[in-house]
Amino acid sequence: MPLFDLPLAELQTYAPDVDEPEDFDAFWQRTLDEARAHDLALRVEPAEAHLRHVEVYDVTFAGFGGHPVKAWYSRPAGVTEDLPVVVSYIGYSGGRGMPWETTLLPSAGYATLRMDSRGQGWSVNLPGHTPDPVGHPPAVPGVMTRGLDDPEGYYYRRLFTDAARAVEAARELPGTAADAVVVSGASQGGGIAIAAAGLVPDVAGLMPDVPFLQHMRRAVEIVPTSPYSEITAYLATHRDAAERTWRTLSYFDGVSFASRGRAPSLWSVALMDMTCPPSTVYASYNRYGGPRDIEVYTYNGHEGGGPFQTGRQLAWLRERFG
């Protein structure tokens, strides 16, 4: 795949205006207040992961609407002190997977909470365990168009709220340092992490890797790839719905959440990424409200930096938390 987006010099200053609603903050504050009216209902139960050096727990907490959300909580076995915890969000179509898959961060000395994505987990390798009990009007298969006719019922209102509640759950888990919670994820997971950092701006760190859900209108207009193509397919059928659709999506664009983030952050972008175009990543990165650094992978697509970025993240965590 050749370079197809703006030149790097232009990307580094690309900070377009987005159509942010005037009631963006009020909408999200009301959403979080409604979620917090439900008890967090945190449950932590040992999971049989067949691991000697990592302890894994099956976690349930109340997300949007008080709905139960599943997660895996993993930490180094035999360690008693409170540890920094990385709340990890998952890429599109994936679920939390199996308990023995969350071993890297505990091996490096950190705890991690891997949140399930409600209604996802249809990926072959990443099964999910959290239903989304909310109905929706006609939609294209996938989750991008579920409830797209109204921001109140849009799928990502529920998922982003779950993500903010996951930070609250991480702070209540036994053996975690409440002031050392980092949010992280790749692709959709990176987009969720950016939203979480905007909704809970006192997190201790943000690590979005080739993030999805940024400057969505541009993404839909310049790439034909899934998942953005779900929106294209919806608008190709619902020809009279464009204005309503973009109004709904304006409450969920990562550019708006990024401008509200304050935590130190490490980002990544791939310049041949046809799934999350580099200009959409830079649109949020350049508006980010806190300390920031970005790793650029010039010759990579949506796989981004892969293990190189993982190593960079581990070094970044070590710099901050020892």
Side-chain angles (χ1 to χ4, degrees):
M1 177 59 63
L3 296 170
F4 70 98
D5 207 339
L6 301 174
L8 181 58
E10 292 183 30
L11 291 171
Q12 290 169 338
T13 59
Y14 183 69
D17 291 329
V18 296
D19 186 19
E20 180 179 297
E22 291 183 0
D23 66 338
F24 181 91
D25 290 312
F27 173 87
W28 281 106
Q29 187 60 59
R30 175 172 55 81
T31 297
L32 293 178
D33 288 345
E34 290 173 1
R36 289 166 179 156
H38 299 275
D39 186 86
L40 188 59
L42 182 63
R43 298 201 310 271
V44 184
E45 301 170 339
E48 182 52 76
H50 314 289
L51 301 171
R52 290 187 178 183
H53 303 295
V54 177
E55 299 170 353
V56 185
Y57 299 86
D58 189 355
V59 170
T60 308
F61 64 90
F64 178 92
H67 304 152
V69 178
K70 302 295 290 183
W72 296 124
Y73 172 44
S74 305
R75 53 179 289 116
V79 175
T80 57
E81 66 261 31
D82 292 346
L83 297 174
V85 56
V86 177
V87 180
S88 174
Y89 307 109
I90 302 165
Y92 196 78
S93 83
R96 65 173 178 165
M98 306 306 288
W100 44 85
E101 296 180 285
T102 54
T103 60
L104 177 64
L105 286 168
S107 297
Y110 309 106
T112 182
L113 182 70
R114 182 172 174 81
M115 189 191 85
D116 214 7
S117 295
R118 61 167 62 216
Q120 297 191 45
W122 64 82
S123 171
V124 172
N125 295 320
L126 291 170
H129 305 95
T130 302
D132 182 15
V134 180
H136 55 82
V140 172
V143 299
M144 292 294 290
T145 63
R146 291 185 187 177
L148 192 54
D149 60 337
D150 182 2
E152 297 284 332
Y154 188 48
Y155 171 81
Y156 281 99
R157 183 181 183 222
R158 302 189 290 281
L159 188 59
F160 288 173
T161 303
D162 293 347
R165 293 285 271 174
V167 173
E168 297 170 13
R171 289 172 167 164
E172 296 294 327
L173 288 168
T176 63
D179 61 349
V181 178
V182 174
V183 291
S184 178
S187 192
Q188 177 188 250
I192 299 170
I194 292 167
L199 294 171
V200 191
D202 63 343
V203 294
L206 164 67
M207 299 190 300
D209 189 10
V210 290
F212 181 51
L213 303 168
Q214 315 303 300
H215 197 3
M216 288 187 276
R217 186 157 193 162
R218 176 168 173 82
V220 168
E221 292 175 353
I222 69 170
V223 296
T225 50
S226 177
Y228 285 121
S229 60
E230 293 175 24
I231 295 173
T232 308
Y234 179 85
L235 291 175
T237 300
H238 299 268
R239 296 171 175 83
D240 59 346
E243 183 176 352
R244 183 173 71 246
T245 292
W246 293 117
R247 175 182 177 274
T248 292
L249 292 175
S250 69
Y251 288 88
F252 304 93
D253 198 300
V255 175
S256 294
F257 290 109
S259 69
R260 290 160 172 82
R262 296 293 180 267
S265 63
L266 174 65
W267 301 55
S268 79
V269 64
L271 299 190
M272 295 185 178
D273 189 345
M274 287 286 290
T275 301
C276 298
S279 58
T280 68
V281 176
Y282 271 102
S284 289
Y285 176 76
N286 290 332
R287 290 291 182 85
Y288 186 67
R292 58 189 179 140
D293 192 11
I294 190 166
E295 295 291 328
V296 180
Y297 296 99
T298 303
Y299 301 102
N300 288 95
H302 195 51
E303 75 281 3
F308 287 84
Q309 186 65 12
T310 300
R312 181 70 182 90
Q313 290 175 340
L314 290 171
W316 190 84
L317 289 169
R318 189 68 67 193
E319 291 167 4
R320 278 149 186 78
F321 302 110

